[in-house]
Structure formats: C-alpha cells, structure tokens
Amino acid sequence: MHRCCLHNEEVGIHYSLFSKIDKEKLECLNESVEHAGKKVFKPWEDRLSCVFVESDADEELLFNIPFVGNVKLKAIKVIGEDSDTHPSKMRLFKNRPSMTFDDSSVKADQEFELVKDTSGFAEYTTKVVTFNSVNHLTLHFPTNFGAETTKIYYIGLKGEFTEAHHHGVTICTYESRPMPQDHKNPLTEFSQARLGQ
C-alpha cells in the first residue's frame, strides 16, 4: 500500500469519534439549511465531499455535540474552502448542553486561531486535562476571514471513547440493632439437626 494511503488510513482510525455522537440530538445554530450541520461530522475518507454547512444570518456557527458516552478529546480538524468563508476562530466548551449564542460570551475552555485548511492537514490539539471526560462538546465559530457567511465541510474529532455506565438503584436495608431471631446460626442448626436424629 502506498505510504500516503497508509497515512490517511491511520488518520481515519484516530478521527473516528463522529460515530460516537448522538446525531439525533446534535444541533447546529445559525445554519442556512436545516440539519446541514450534522453532515460535516463524517468519516475521514469522506472529508472532501461537497457536503457542507453554511451560516445564515451572519458568520457565526455554533454546534452542540452530545456523545453517547464519555470522550477524552485529544484534537480537532476543521476543513473549509480556500476563501474568506473559512472560519478563523474556534472556541470549545466542555459539558455545557444546549448552549446558545447568548451563552457564548462566557470564557471558553479553549480557543484556537484557525488557518485556511482545504484538506485536513492542520490539527488543533486540545488540553487533555481539561477535555479528559467529555459527554457534551460545544464548538463556537465566531468569525471567518471576512466573508458574510461561514462554510465548513468537515469537523474531525480525535480521542478515546468510553461507554457510559448506567447504574440501577440498589435498595439496601440496614439494621440499627441486630435482632438474633433474624440471623440463623449454622452451628446451632447443625446441633439441633444432630439432636433430632
């Protein structure tokens, strides 16, 4: 296999967290076409497909991304056009479900200045200590390189996934004072059985 193909295959394995997103609950705010934002989370080999999300009223886009378990997020890739529609900044928020643009004024957990990337060469490494237990990720793209709208073709998430554990309720009864009649003594039972013979 060609070395380039091997590299792409390896990157694809690392950037597979798209499959751990709860797509039904994923939302993109300010998208010009409904549900277009969900389609940019796709396999690495489809990253250059013509599917994209474009902002509507202005250049801002905000993604609320719920996972089906816990994620240790290590890096992100963002692909756009070689034009001013490419986002120029990305802000990350951890475990803040249902964020809106009004909430985005709070301090982000991490921010990145983006470069124009049309193939996925740039990788933005996250602070692993901060993003080691993520069940919901919000990505805010507040600006682009000067266009009226922003276009994104691919968002890749790299990291490790752990299944969510759902513990049932365990009902326990504790005695404030042990009652001898409630506790069988195997020695007594054995003695009584011998005496009964």
Side-chain angles (χ1 to χ4, degrees):
M1 191 180 282
H2 193 272
R3 186 175 172 184
C4 180
C5 295
L6 274 173
H7 170 72
N8 278 335
E9 197 174 282
E10 194 176 298
V11 173
I13 292 167
H14 290 303
Y15 277 86
S16 59
L17 284 181
F18 71 92
S19 64
K20 306 303 181 185
I21 294 171
D22 187 342
K23 286 278 184 79
E24 291 298 310
K25 295 178 182 171
L26 186 151
E27 62 176 351
C28 177
L29 305 186
N30 196 36
E31 58 188 356
S32 58
V33 177
E34 193 176 5
H35 304 307
K38 296 181 180 187
K39 296 175 182 174
V40 300
F41 298 90
K42 51 193 171 184
W44 172 253
E45 57 270 19
D46 297 337
R47 72 194 181 284
L48 303 180
S49 67
C50 293
V51 176
F52 62 88
V53 61
E54 184 173 8
S55 62
D56 188 18
D58 55 27
E59 74 275 22
E60 283 190 86
L61 283 169
L62 189 145
F63 295 85
N64 281 309
I65 309 160
F67 295 102
V68 295
N70 285 313
V71 165
K72 182 187 283 186
L73 185 66
K74 296 182 176 180
I76 300 176
K77 286 181 180 284
V78 179
I79 295 177
E81 292 181 346
D82 187 15
S83 71
D84 290 344
T85 63
H86 195 294
S88 60
K89 190 173 189 177
M90 175 173 63
R91 306 173 71 229
L92 279 59
F93 300 87
K94 169 189 168 183
N95 298 341
R96 289 173 176 261
S98 306
M99 277 189 73
T100 66
F101 290 112
D102 292 336
D103 303 320
S104 65
S105 58
V106 300
K107 183 174 168 49
D109 292 301
Q110 192 166 1
E111 294 189 11
F112 295 97
E113 297 296 327
L114 305 184
V115 296
K116 290 180 183 177
D117 185 355
T118 59
S119 62
F121 68 87
E123 183 173 85
Y124 304 97
T125 307
T126 59
K127 296 181 276 193
V128 179
V129 175
T130 303
F131 294 95
N132 68 352
S133 182
V134 181
N135 53 55
H136 187 284
L137 177 68
T138 302
L139 299 180
H140 178 215
F141 298 92
T143 59
N144 58 27
F145 286 92
E148 289 184 10
T149 61
T150 296
K151 283 186 185 178
I152 296 175
Y153 285 77
Y154 172 81
I155 297 175
L157 305 174
K158 176 182 177 180
E160 297 171 13
F161 176 78
T162 311
E163 294 283 349
H165 296 291
H166 300 290
H167 297 288
V169 177
T170 305
I171 299 172
C172 300
T173 305
Y174 295 96
E175 297 175 336
S176 57
R177 187 167 55 91
M179 305 299 284
Q181 64 269 25
D182 294 338
H183 300 276
K184 293 181 180 177
N185 184 336
L187 290 175
T188 308
E189 287 180 5
F190 179 74
S191 301
Q192 288 172 347
R194 298 264 310 190
L195 287 171
Q197 287 179 345

